[in-house]
Amino acid sequence: RGGMGDAAAQMAEIRAQRAKEYQAMKAQKEDSQARQAKEEAEYDGAQRSWTHASSSIEPKTIGTKQDDMAIGDARAFYKGTDVTYLRNRNTGMVVELLHESEGWFQFCALEQGDIKQVSTTGLLMDVNRWYATGFLEQVKTNPLKATLIPTAGLTFGPWSCSPEGRRIVVSRKDGSKFIHLLQEGFVFVDHDTGRGLSVDSFGATKYVSIDEAERLLAAA
């Protein structure tokens, strides 16, 4: 009986310790969430609109519920590399950044709009798919998969982004290409080519000079 009593006491002690650890973890999580909510309440402009989510490019992130990744899909070339999506939760605008890109990126100005690619030379091209269609679909249907961009900023591969005033500035590590996320659109500036691009929330996309881009940003 003594042995059984000792075993029961030990189990009770283990359960009590586990309960204590669980409560400590719960309190820590709630404290972290409270701090995050307090910080986000002070966000302004683009920081209140744009979220981010990253994933590795794999068959399960390329494929969707309706279509699996096809055999021979060219996107398999990027398998195992990372991609980050920046999405405006108010307008549905999306910017796709491959961590392996040499400065090109893709975007869609409207929720069901056409996908465009901005080349390394700053030129617009029509494309027909994202690099991680399945993952982006998850982000759109599950808001918890994406989070707002913190004041401290973020780095993903060669790209970094940080809030500056009412904008969020996304830049390449070489400091030549900048995507200025606005509350409802973005302005792209490429100092290597001297080209700029303006995209608004209605899907209007046009080339602009560097000077005109700077005027747009000053007025934003």
Side-chain angles (χ1 to χ4, degrees), residues 101-172:
S101 89
E102 296 299 322
W104 57 268
F105 64 94
Q106 300 193 158
F107 74 92
C108 182
L110 302 172
E111 186 68 53
Q112 301 296 330
D114 296 329
I115 305 170
K116 305 285 186 180
Q117 184 179 109
V118 180
S119 72
T120 54
T121 56
L123 296 176
L124 271 178
M125 298 186 294
D126 292 325
V127 293
N128 58 9
R129 60 190 180 185
W130 301 108
Y131 275 81
T133 306
F135 178 66
L136 180 57
E137 186 179 83
Q138 295 173 34
V139 170
K140 290 181 177 181
T141 57
N142 183 358
L144 296 179
K145 283 189 172 290
T147 56
L148 294 172
I149 295 169
T151 302
L154 296 166
T155 298
F156 23 84
W159 303 93
S160 62
C161 68
S162 60
E164 295 185 13
R166 291 178 54 81
R167 306 195 301 266
I168 293 173
V169 181
V170 182
S171 60
R172 284 272 304 173

Coordinates of all heavy atoms in Angstrom, one line a residue, residues 101-172:
S101 N 14.9 35.9 -55.8 CA 14.8 36.7 -56.9 C 16.0 37.7 -56.9 O 16.6 38.1 -55.9 CB 13.5 37.5 -56.9 OG 13.6 38.7 -56.2
E102 N 16.3 38.2 -58.1 CA 17.4 39.2 -58.3 C 16.9 40.6 -58.3 O 17.5 41.5 -58.8 CB 18.2 38.9 -59.5 CG 18.9 37.6 -59.5 CD 20.0 37.5 -58.4 OE1 20.6 38.5 -58.1 OE2 20.1 36.4 -57.8
G103 N 15.7 40.8 -57.8 CA 15.1 42.1 -57.7 C 13.7 42.2 -58.4 O 13.0 43.2 -58.2
W104 N 13.3 41.2 -59.1 CA 11.9 41.2 -59.7 C 10.9 40.7 -58.6 O 11.3 40.0 -57.7 CB 11.9 40.3 -60.9 CG 12.3 38.8 -60.7 CD1 13.5 38.3 -60.9 CD2 11.4 37.8 -60.3 NE1 13.5 36.9 -60.6 CE2 12.2 36.6 -60.2 CE3 10.1 37.7 -60.0 CZ2 11.7 35.3 -59.8 CZ3 9.6 36.4 -59.6 CH2 10.4 35.3 -59.5
F105 N 9.7 41.1 -58.8 CA 8.6 40.7 -57.9 C 7.3 40.6 -58.7 O 7.2 41.1 -59.8 CB 8.5 41.6 -56.7 CG 8.1 43.0 -57.0 CD1 6.8 43.5 -57.0 CD2 9.1 44.0 -57.4 CE1 6.4 44.8 -57.3 CE2 8.7 45.3 -57.7 CZ 7.4 45.7 -57.6
Q106 N 6.3 40.0 -58.1 CA 5.0 40.0 -58.7 C 3.9 40.6 -57.8 O 4.1 40.7 -56.6 CB 4.6 38.5 -59.0 CG 5.6 37.8 -59.9 CD 5.1 36.5 -60.4 OE1 5.6 36.0 -61.4 NE2 4.2 35.8 -59.7
F107 N 2.8 41.1 -58.4 CA 1.8 41.7 -57.6 C 0.5 41.6 -58.3 O 0.4 41.3 -59.5 CB 2.1 43.2 -57.4 CG 1.9 44.1 -58.6 CD1 0.7 44.7 -58.8 CD2 3.0 44.3 -59.5 CE1 0.6 45.5 -59.9 CE2 2.8 45.1 -60.6 CZ 1.6 45.7 -60.8
C108 N -0.6 41.8 -57.6 CA -1.9 41.8 -58.1 C -2.7 43.0 -57.4 O -2.7 43.0 -56.2 CB -2.7 40.5 -57.9 SG -4.3 40.4 -58.5
A109 N -3.2 43.9 -58.2 CA -3.7 45.1 -57.6 C -5.1 44.9 -57.0 O -5.5 45.6 -56.1 CB -3.7 46.2 -58.6
L110 N -5.9 44.0 -57.6 CA -7.2 43.7 -57.1 C -7.4 42.3 -56.7 O -6.7 41.4 -57.1 CB -8.2 44.0 -58.3 CG -8.2 45.4 -58.8 CD1 -9.1 45.6 -60.0 CD2 -8.6 46.4 -57.7
E111 N -8.4 42.0 -55.9 CA -8.6 40.6 -55.3 C -8.7 39.6 -56.4 O -8.0 38.5 -56.3 CB -9.9 40.6 -54.5 CG -10.1 39.3 -53.8 CD -9.1 39.1 -52.7 OE1 -9.0 40.0 -51.8 OE2 -8.5 38.0 -52.6
Q112 N -9.4 39.8 -57.5 CA -9.5 38.9 -58.6 C -8.9 39.4 -59.9 O -9.2 39.0 -60.9 CB -11.0 38.5 -58.8 CG -11.7 38.0 -57.6 CD -11.2 36.6 -57.2 OE1 -10.6 35.8 -58.0 NE2 -11.2 36.3 -55.9
G113 N -7.9 40.3 -59.7 CA -7.3 40.9 -60.9 C -6.2 40.1 -61.5 O -5.9 39.0 -61.1
D114 N -5.6 40.6 -62.5 CA -4.5 40.0 -63.2 C -3.2 40.1 -62.4 O -2.9 41.1 -61.8 CB -4.3 40.6 -64.6 CG -5.5 40.4 -65.5 OD1 -6.2 39.4 -65.4 OD2 -5.7 41.3 -66.4
I115 N -2.4 39.0 -62.6 CA -1.1 39.0 -61.9 C 0.0 39.7 -62.8 O 0.0 39.3 -64.0 CB -0.6 37.6 -61.5 CG1 -1.7 37.0 -60.6 CG2 0.7 37.7 -60.7 CD1 -1.5 35.5 -60.4
K116 N 0.8 40.6 -62.3 CA 1.8 41.3 -63.0 C 3.2 41.0 -62.4 O 3.3 40.7 -61.2 CB 1.6 42.8 -63.1 CG 0.2 43.2 -63.6 CD 0.1 43.1 -65.1 CE -1.2 43.7 -65.5 NZ -1.4 43.6 -67.0
Q117 N 4.2 41.0 -63.2 CA 5.5 40.9 -62.7 C 6.3 42.1 -63.1 O 6.2 42.6 -64.2 CB 6.2 39.7 -63.3 CG 7.6 39.4 -62.8 CD 8.3 38.2 -63.4 OE1 9.3 38.3 -64.1 NE2 7.8 37.0 -63.0
V118 N 7.1 42.6 -62.1 CA 8.0 43.8 -62.4 C 9.4 43.1 -62.5 O 9.9 42.5 -61.6 CB 8.0 44.8 -61.3 CG1 8.9 45.9 -61.5 CG2 6.5 45.3 -61.1
S119 N 9.9 43.3 -63.7 CA 11.2 42.6 -64.0 C 12.4 43.3 -63.3 O 12.2 44.4 -62.7 CB 11.5 42.6 -65.5 OG 11.8 43.9 -66.0
T120 N 13.5 42.7 -63.4 CA 14.7 43.3 -62.8 C 15.1 44.7 -63.4 O 15.8 45.5 -62.8 CB 15.9 42.4 -62.9 OG1 16.1 42.0 -64.3 CG2 15.7 41.1 -62.1
T121 N 14.6 44.9 -64.6 CA 14.8 46.2 -65.2 C 13.6 47.2 -65.1 O 13.6 48.2 -65.7 CB 15.1 46.0 -66.7 OG1 14.0 45.3 -67.3 CG2 16.4 45.2 -67.0
G122 N 12.7 46.8 -64.2 CA 11.6 47.7 -63.9 C 10.4 47.7 -64.9 O 9.6 48.6 -64.9
L123 N 10.4 46.7 -65.8 CA 9.3 46.6 -66.8 C 8.2 45.7 -66.3 O 8.4 44.7 -65.7 CB 9.9 46.1 -68.1 CG 11.0 47.0 -68.8 CD1 11.5 46.3 -70.0 CD2 10.4 48.4 -69.1
L124 N 7.0 46.0 -66.7 CA 5.8 45.2 -66.4 C 5.6 44.1 -67.4 O 5.7 44.3 -68.6 CB 4.6 46.1 -66.4 CG 4.2 46.9 -65.2 CD1 2.9 47.7 -65.5 CD2 3.9 45.9 -64.0
M125 N 5.3 42.9 -66.9 CA 5.0 41.8 -67.7 C 3.7 41.1 -67.1 O 3.6 41.0 -65.9 CB 6.1 40.8 -67.8 CG 7.4 41.4 -68.4 SD 8.7 40.2 -68.5 CE 9.0 39.8 -66.8
D126 N 2.9 40.5 -68.0 CA 1.8 39.7 -67.6 C 2.2 38.3 -67.3 O 3.0 37.7 -68.0 CB 0.7 39.7 -68.7 CG 0.0 41.0 -68.9 OD1 -0.1 41.7 -68.0 OD2 -0.3 41.3 -70.1
V127 N 1.8 37.8 -66.1 CA 2.1 36.4 -65.8 C 0.7 35.7 -65.4 O -0.3 36.4 -65.2 CB 3.1 36.3 -64.6 CG1 4.4 36.8 -65.1 CG2 2.6 37.1 -63.4
N128 N 0.7 34.4 -65.3 CA -0.6 33.8 -65.0 C -0.6 33.0 -63.7 O -1.6 32.3 -63.5 CB -0.9 32.8 -66.2 CG 0.2 31.7 -66.4 OD1 1.1 31.6 -65.6 ND2 0.1 31.0 -67.5
R129 N 0.4 33.1 -62.9 CA 0.3 32.4 -61.6 C 1.3 32.9 -60.6 O 2.3 33.5 -60.9 CB 0.6 30.9 -61.9 CG 2.0 30.6 -62.5 CD 2.1 29.2 -62.9 NE 3.4 28.9 -63.5 CZ 3.7 27.8 -64.1 NH1 2.9 26.8 -64.1 NH2 4.9 27.6 -64.6
W130 N 0.9 32.6 -59.3 CA 1.8 32.9 -58.2 C 2.8 31.7 -58.1 O 2.6 30.7 -58.6 CB 1.1 33.1 -56.9 CG 0.0 34.1 -56.9 CD1 -1.3 34.0 -57.0 CD2 0.3 35.6 -56.8 NE1 -1.9 35.2 -56.9 CE2 -1.0 36.2 -56.8 CE3 1.4 36.3 -56.8 CZ2 -1.1 37.6 -56.8 CZ3 1.3 37.7 -56.7 CH2 0.0 38.3 -56.7
Y131 N 3.8 31.9 -57.3 CA 4.8 30.9 -57.0 C 4.4 29.9 -55.9 O 4.9 28.8 -55.8 CB 6.2 31.4 -56.8 CG 6.9 31.7 -58.0 CD1 6.7 32.9 -58.8 CD2 7.8 30.8 -58.5 CE1 7.3 33.1 -60.0 CE2 8.5 31.0 -59.7 CZ 8.2 32.2 -60.5 OH 8.9 32.4 -61.7
A132 N 3.5 30.4 -55.1 CA 2.9 29.5 -54.0 C 1.4 29.8 -53.9 O 0.9 30.3 -52.9 CB 3.6 29.8 -52.7
T133 N 0.7 29.4 -55.0 CA -0.7 29.7 -55.0 C -1.5 29.1 -53.9 O -2.4 29.7 -53.3 CB -1.3 29.1 -56.4 OG1 -0.5 29.6 -57.5 CG2 -2.7 29.5 -56.5
G134 N -1.1 27.8 -53.5 CA -1.8 27.2 -52.4 C -1.7 27.9 -51.1 O -2.6 28.0 -50.3
F135 N -0.5 28.3 -50.8 CA -0.2 29.0 -49.6 C -0.9 30.4 -49.5 O -1.5 30.7 -48.5 CB 1.3 29.3 -49.4 CG 1.6 30.0 -48.1 CD1 1.4 29.5 -46.9 CD2 2.2 31.3 -48.2 CE1 1.7 30.2 -45.7 CE2 2.5 32.0 -47.1 CZ 2.2 31.5 -45.8
L136 N -0.9 31.1 -50.6 CA -1.6 32.4 -50.7 C -3.1 32.2 -50.5 O -3.8 33.0 -49.8 CB -1.4 33.1 -52.0 CG -2.1 34.4 -52.2 CD1 -1.7 35.4 -51.1 CD2 -1.7 35.0 -53.6
E137 N -3.7 31.1 -51.0 CA -5.1 30.8 -50.8 C -5.4 30.6 -49.3 O -6.4 31.0 -48.8 CB -5.4 29.5 -51.6 CG -6.9 29.1 -51.6 CD -7.2 27.9 -52.4 OE1 -7.0 26.8 -51.9 OE2 -7.6 28.0 -53.6
Q138 N -4.5 29.9 -48.6 CA -4.6 29.7 -47.2 C -4.6 31.1 -46.4 O -5.4 31.3 -45.5 CB -3.5 28.8 -46.6 CG -3.5 27.4 -47.2 CD -2.3 26.6 -46.7 OE1 -1.8 26.8 -45.6 NE2 -1.8 25.7 -47.6
V139 N -3.7 31.9 -46.9 CA -3.6 33.3 -46.2 C -4.9 34.0 -46.4 O -5.3 34.7 -45.5 CB -2.4 34.0 -46.8 CG1 -2.4 35.5 -46.4 CG2 -1.1 33.4 -46.5
K140 N -5.5 33.9 -47.6 CA -6.7 34.7 -47.9 C -7.9 34.2 -47.0 O -8.7 34.9 -46.6 CB -7.0 34.6 -49.3 CG -6.1 35.4 -50.2 CD -6.5 35.3 -51.7 CE -5.6 36.2 -52.6 NZ -6.0 36.1 -54.0
T141 N -7.9 32.9 -46.8 CA -9.1 32.3 -46.1 C -8.9 32.2 -44.6 O -9.8 32.0 -43.9 CB -9.3 30.9 -46.7 OG1 -8.2 30.0 -46.6 CG2 -9.7 30.9 -48.2
N142 N -7.6 32.3 -44.2 CA -7.3 32.2 -42.7 C -6.5 33.4 -42.3 O -5.3 33.4 -42.4 CB -6.6 30.9 -42.4 CG -6.4 30.8 -40.9 OD1 -6.7 31.6 -40.1 ND2 -5.8 29.7 -40.5
P143 N -7.1 34.5 -41.8 CA -6.4 35.7 -41.4 C -5.3 35.5 -40.4 O -4.4 36.3 -40.3 CB -7.5 36.6 -40.8 CG -8.8 36.1 -41.4 CD -8.6 34.6 -41.6
L144 N -5.4 34.4 -39.6 CA -4.4 34.1 -38.6 C -3.0 33.7 -39.2 O -2.0 33.7 -38.5 CB -4.9 33.0 -37.6 CG -6.1 33.4 -36.8 CD1 -6.5 32.2 -35.9 CD2 -5.9 34.6 -35.9
K145 N -3.0 33.4 -40.5 CA -1.8 33.0 -41.1 C -0.9 34.2 -41.4 O 0.3 34.0 -41.8 CB -2.0 32.1 -42.3 CG -2.4 30.7 -42.0 CD -2.5 29.9 -43.3 CE -2.7 28.4 -42.9 NZ -1.5 27.8 -42.3
A146 N -1.4 35.4 -41.4 CA -0.7 36.6 -41.7 C -0.8 37.6 -40.6 O -1.8 37.6 -39.9 CB -1.2 37.2 -43.0
T147 N 0.3 38.4 -40.4 CA 0.3 39.3 -39.3 C 0.7 40.7 -39.8 O 1.4 40.8 -40.8 CB 1.3 38.9 -38.2 OG1 2.6 38.7 -38.7 CG2 0.8 37.6 -37.5
L148 N 0.3 41.7 -39.1 CA 0.7 43.1 -39.5 C 2.2 43.2 -39.3 O 2.9 42.5 -38.6 CB 0.0 44.1 -38.6 CG -1.5 44.2 -38.7 CD1 -2.1 45.1 -37.7 CD2 -1.9 44.7 -40.1
I149 N 2.8 44.2 -40.0 CA 4.3 44.4 -40.0 C 4.6 45.2 -38.8 O 4.1 46.4 -38.6 CB 4.7 45.1 -41.3 CG1 4.4 44.1 -42.5 CG2 6.2 45.4 -41.2 CD1 4.6 44.7 -43.8
P150 N 5.5 44.7 -37.9 CA 5.8 45.4 -36.7 C 6.7 46.7 -36.9 O 7.3 46.8 -37.9 CB 6.6 44.4 -35.9 CG 7.3 43.5 -37.0 CD 6.2 43.4 -38.0
T151 N 6.7 47.5 -35.9 CA 7.4 48.8 -36.0 C 8.9 48.5 -36.2 O 9.6 49.3 -36.8 CB 7.1 49.6 -34.7 OG1 5.7 49.9 -34.7 CG2 7.8 51.0 -34.8
A152 N 9.4 47.5 -35.6 CA 10.8 47.1 -35.6 C 11.2 46.7 -37.0 O 12.4 46.7 -37.4 CB 11.2 46.0 -34.6
G153 N 10.2 46.4 -37.9 CA 10.6 46.0 -39.3 C 10.8 44.5 -39.4 O 10.9 43.8 -38.4
L154 N 11.1 44.0 -40.6 CA 11.3 42.6 -40.9 C 12.4 42.5 -42.0 O 12.6 43.4 -42.8 CB 10.0 42.0 -41.4 CG 8.8 41.9 -40.4 CD1 7.6 41.5 -41.2 CD2 9.1 40.8 -39.3
T155 N 13.0 41.3 -42.0 CA 13.9 41.0 -43.1 C 13.5 39.6 -43.6 O 13.3 38.7 -42.8 CB 15.4 41.0 -42.6 OG1 15.7 42.3 -42.2 CG2 16.3 40.6 -43.7
F156 N 13.4 39.4 -44.9 CA 13.2 38.1 -45.5 C 14.0 38.0 -46.7 O 13.8 38.6 -47.7 CB 11.7 37.9 -45.8 CG 10.9 39.1 -46.0 CD1 10.9 39.8 -47.2 CD2 10.1 39.6 -44.9 CE1 10.1 40.9 -47.4 CE2 9.4 40.8 -45.1 CZ 9.4 41.4 -46.3
G157 N 15.0 37.1 -46.6 CA 16.0 36.9 -47.7 C 16.7 38.3 -48.0 O 17.2 38.9 -47.1
P158 N 16.8 38.7 -49.3 CA 17.5 39.9 -49.6 C 16.6 41.1 -49.4 O 17.0 42.3 -49.7 CB 17.8 39.7 -51.1 CG 16.7 38.9 -51.6 CD 16.3 37.9 -50.5
W159 N 15.3 40.9 -49.0 CA 14.4 42.0 -48.8 C 14.2 42.4 -47.4 O 14.3 41.6 -46.5 CB 13.0 41.6 -49.3 CG 12.9 41.2 -50.8 CD1 13.1 39.9 -51.2 CD2 12.8 42.0 -51.9 NE1 13.0 39.9 -52.6 CE2 12.8 41.1 -53.1 CE3 12.6 43.4 -52.1 CZ2 12.6 41.6 -54.4 CZ3 12.5 43.8 -53.4 CH2 12.5 42.9 -54.5
S160 N 14.0 43.7 -47.1 CA 13.7 44.1 -45.8 C 12.6 45.1 -45.9 O 12.4 45.8 -46.9 CB 14.9 44.7 -45.1 OG 15.3 45.9 -45.8
C161 N 11.8 45.3 -44.8 CA 10.7 46.3 -44.8 C 10.6 46.9 -43.4 O 10.9 46.2 -42.4 CB 9.4 45.7 -45.2 SG 8.7 44.5 -44.1
S162 N 10.3 48.2 -43.4 CA 10.2 48.9 -42.2 C 9.2 50.1 -42.3 O 9.2 50.7 -43.4 CB 11.6 49.4 -41.7 OG 12.1 50.3 -42.6
P163 N 8.4 50.3 -41.3 CA 7.5 51.5 -41.4 C 8.3 52.8 -41.3 O 9.2 52.9 -40.6 CB 6.7 51.3 -40.1 CG 6.8 49.8 -39.8 CD 8.2 49.5 -40.2
E164 N 7.9 53.7 -42.2 CA 8.5 55.0 -42.2 C 7.4 56.0 -42.4 O 6.8 56.2 -43.5 CB 9.5 55.2 -43.4 CG 10.7 54.3 -43.2 CD 11.8 54.5 -44.2 OE1 11.7 55.6 -44.9 OE2 12.7 53.7 -44.4
G165 N 7.0 56.7 -41.3 CA 5.8 57.6 -41.4 C 4.6 56.8 -41.6 O 4.3 55.8 -40.9
R166 N 3.8 57.2 -42.6 CA 2.6 56.4 -42.9 C 2.8 55.4 -44.0 O 1.8 54.8 -44.4 CB 1.5 57.4 -43.3 CG 1.0 58.3 -42.2 CD -0.1 59.3 -42.7 NE -1.2 58.7 -43.4 CZ -2.2 58.1 -42.8 NH1 -2.3 58.1 -41.5 NH2 -3.2 57.6 -43.5
R167 N 4.0 55.2 -44.4 CA 4.3 54.2 -45.4 C 5.1 53.0 -44.8 O 5.6 53.1 -43.7 CB 5.2 54.8 -46.5 CG 4.7 56.0 -47.1 CD 5.4 56.3 -48.4 NE 6.8 56.5 -48.3 CZ 7.4 57.7 -48.1 NH1 6.7 58.8 -48.0 NH2 8.7 57.8 -48.0
I168 N 5.2 51.9 -45.6 CA 6.1 50.8 -45.3 C 7.0 50.7 -46.4 O 6.6 50.6 -47.6 CB 5.3 49.5 -45.0 CG1 4.5 49.6 -43.8 CG2 6.3 48.3 -44.9 CD1 3.6 48.4 -43.6
V169 N 8.3 50.8 -46.2 CA 9.3 50.8 -47.3 C 9.9 49.4 -47.3 O 10.5 48.9 -46.4 CB 10.4 51.8 -47.1 CG1 11.4 51.8 -48.2 CG2 9.8 53.2 -46.9
V170 N 9.8 48.8 -48.5 CA 10.4 47.4 -48.8 C 11.6 47.7 -49.7 O 11.4 48.4 -50.7 CB 9.4 46.5 -49.5 CG1 10.0 45.1 -49.7 CG2 8.1 46.4 -48.7
S171 N 12.7 47.2 -49.3 CA 13.9 47.5 -50.1 C 14.8 46.2 -50.3 O 14.7 45.3 -49.5 CB 14.7 48.6 -49.5 OG 15.2 48.2 -48.2
R172 N 15.5 46.2 -51.4 CA 16.5 45.2 -51.7 C 17.8 45.5 -50.9 O 18.1 46.7 -50.6 CB 16.8 45.1 -53.2 CG 15.8 44.5 -54.0 CD 16.0 43.0 -54.1 NE 17.3 42.7 -54.6 CZ 17.7 41.4 -54.7 NH1 17.0 40.5 -54.2 NH2 18.9 41.2 -55.1

